[in-house]
Amino acid sequence: MSQFMSPSSPWPAHGGQAEALLAHFGLPADHRLEDFSANLNPLGPPAWVSDWLAKQLAGLERYPAPDYAAARQAIATHHQLQPEHVLLTNGGAEAIFLAAALHAGKRAAVITPSFGEYARACRAHGLSISEIALPAPDFTLDVDSLTAGLSDIDVLFLCRPNNPTATLIDMSAMEDLLNNTAAIGCRVVVDEAFIDMVGETSQEASLAPLLARYPHLMLLHSMTKFYTLPGLRLGYLLADVTTVQAAQDHQPPWSVNHLAAELVAPLLADDAFARRTQRWLASERPRMAQALTQLGLEVVPSQACFFLIRPSAAQEITTDALFEQLLRQGILVRHSHNFAGLNGEWLRVALRDEPDNRRLVNVLKKELHDCLR
Ligand SMILES: Cc1ncc(COP(=O)(O)O)c(C=O)c1O
């Protein structure tokens, strides 16, 4: 996987990658940066995780049990499903690539703007790709026009809530879409990587209860965002039994390491951490939505742990200039040059804890004010 969009591009292909950006903008390698570019829960990982991992190290001397029974049972219980509907994966990223592998050589549709790995996984597995654009600035999806574009498509990839727009297709629109796609024989893959960040009702927000009614639906999950464990790699796929077995056939053996697999059940049992995260979201997200809007920025209403923003026409600063000024002020946000449909015009900023968020707003305020002088 390349670190950059292209060999000559200054823009990294993913969030983070501060070193390369600092070098490009002529800033010292030790320039202090707060990372608003990665959409991770600022409250995690749960405090007990490091001690707990240390105690599991002896298990590294053995291969993990290939069926990951305890982890799959914990996930199944969490979603009120049977373990046969669960495949544990090496991050949500592996689940995306397995979903593409299942449709190798067929025709896929992806939404733009959305997470770029769907298209990359499809290319890797020889699928042809049609892009279906969500219109700026509200990026809402119209089910009827989407369905009209799916008549010769085998599999549709959707992200819910969507990265990078933070918009959520509501449940009734999803049911309409699932009915329409069932009728035309188009598989629907929904990436729920950020579903736990929707809010108080995140359990209800997942489409997992619909799996029994719609066997052409597949759900992809990440456990790295909510629990702040991207380095550990942990995710899963939910689908009907046949699809789970077929996906497993494409998965390398022992794809999920012992530490990650053993951690699933205790993570899902940590209700206090989940409640604390929901309280943070319930207070910081509306506060930040208001604060960013009051700065005169365009702000896409968010149902996730990040915001898509851009300077409004009245603000005499380009998005790239704002990105650079923020970097100089010690704030790293996510550029949008490699999100199809955004053309670099927007910035994605993660929601962090209250002091960090306040600092972001203060720096933005100063930069937007200075550009008017
Ligand atoms: C929408 C979406 N899905 C999946 C992933 C992959 O997550 P994981 O770390 O679980 O592989 C990401 C990571 O940024 C993402 O943004």
Side-chain angles (χ1 to χ4, degrees):
M1 182 162 56
S2 164
Q3 202 185 355
F4 291 97
M5 286 171 55
S6 74
S8 59
S9 166
W11 300 110
H14 287 94
Q17 300 180 27
E19 276 168 41
L21 281 165
L22 291 175
H24 176 76
F25 287 102
L27 292 164
D30 61 355
H31 184 69
R32 218 178 131 253
L33 275 183
E34 275 161 39
D35 189 354
F36 285 80
S37 72
N39 299 324
L40 299 169
N41 183 351
L43 308 187
W48 52 268
V49 166
S50 57
D51 282 352
W52 188 95
L53 285 173
K55 290 195 191 113
Q56 302 297 318
L57 293 180
L60 295 179
E61 293 164 16
R62 294 183 298 278
Y63 281 93
D67 60 351
Y68 300 111
R72 288 171 57 222
Q73 179 62 62
I75 293 164
T77 306
H78 183 70
H79 288 289
Q80 298 180 3
L81 298 168
Q82 295 302 312
E84 297 73 39
H85 295 278
V86 180
L87 181 68
L88 198 64
T89 61
N90 192 274
E94 188 187 35
I96 294 169
F97 274 69
L98 291 174
L102 289 177
H103 301 91
K106 295 195 173 166
R107 295 158 302 185
V110 298
I111 302 292
T112 62
S114 195
F115 189 48
E117 294 300 320
Y118 314 128
R120 212 168 74 86
C122 288
R123 283 195 297 274
H125 289 285
L127 283 92
S128 65
I129 302 169
S130 299
E131 290 187 348
I132 298 177
L134 299 179
D138 54 0
F139 302 103
T140 47
L141 181 139
D142 176 65
V143 170
D144 289 336
S145 57
L146 172 62
T147 309
L150 296 178
S151 55
D152 57 354
I153 295 293
D154 299 300
V155 56
L156 166 69
F157 284 81
L158 272 184
C159 186
R160 186 177 176 272
N162 189 32
N163 176 12
T165 59
T167 48
L168 182 86
I169 309 165
D170 71 30
M171 195 58 109
S172 75
M174 277 313 301
E175 288 196 51
D176 290 346
L177 179 64
L178 288 166
N179 287 324
N180 296 351
T181 47
I184 58 174
C186 173
R187 173 69 71 88
V188 179
V189 177
V190 181
D191 183 351
E192 296 195 330
F194 291 101
I195 202 75
D196 293 325
M197 303 289 196
V198 167
E200 302 287 356
T201 56
S202 57
Q203 284 288 81
E204 292 151 38
S206 170
L207 300 182
L210 301 186
L211 282 167
R213 259 168 56 211
Y214 298 104
H216 70 305
L217 171 65
M218 269 171 86
L219 301 179
L220 316 181
H221 276 250
S222 165
M223 292 183 74
T224 73
K225 319 277 179 204
F226 191 77
Y227 296 104
T228 331
L229 292 166
L232 195 71
R233 318 301 308 125
L234 191 53
Y236 53 92
L237 179 158
L238 303 175
D240 72 293
V241 178
T242 319
T243 305
V244 166
Q245 281 166 354
Q248 192 167 18
D249 289 343
H250 286 279
Q251 193 180 34
W254 313 293
S255 190
V256 181
N257 72 75
H258 162 75
L259 297 177
E262 292 296 313
L263 201 49
V264 170
L267 285 177
L268 292 176
D270 192 346
D271 291 335
F273 178 77
R275 277 198 303 274
R276 243 179 329 119
T277 302
Q278 298 309 335
R279 278 201 299 275
W280 157 72
L281 276 169
S283 71
E284 275 306 281
R285 185 168 50 201
R287 198 184 67 70
M288 278 301 278
Q290 193 182 23
L292 294 168
T293 309
Q294 277 172 355
L295 293 177
L297 293 162
E298 270 190 66
V299 182
V300 180
S302 167
Q303 305 214 51
C305 55
F306 48 90
F307 286 94
L308 195 62
I309 62 171
R310 70 175 173 188
S312 63
Q315 290 172 320
E316 290 172 8
I317 187 166
T318 64
T319 303
D320 283 354
L322 185 59
F323 177 95
E324 180 177 346
Q325 284 311 111
L326 290 173
L327 194 74
R328 292 189 183 281
Q329 298 301 320
I331 286 179
L332 175 61
V333 298
R334 175 68 160 89
H335 72 85
S336 63
H337 284 278
N338 61 338
F339 281 111
L342 295 187
N343 312 319
E345 289 164 23
W346 297 80
L347 297 173
R348 194 191 66 197
V349 293
L351 193 63
R352 295 183 47 111
D353 64 14
E354 186 178 340
D356 286 355
N357 294 334
R358 285 192 188 279
R359 183 167 127 69
L360 171 69
V361 171
N362 287 337
V363 173
L364 277 167
K365 192 177 198 168
K366 178 177 173 309
E367 294 307 326
L368 293 170
H369 179 259
D370 284 358
C371 78
L372 291 176
R373 286 195 300 188

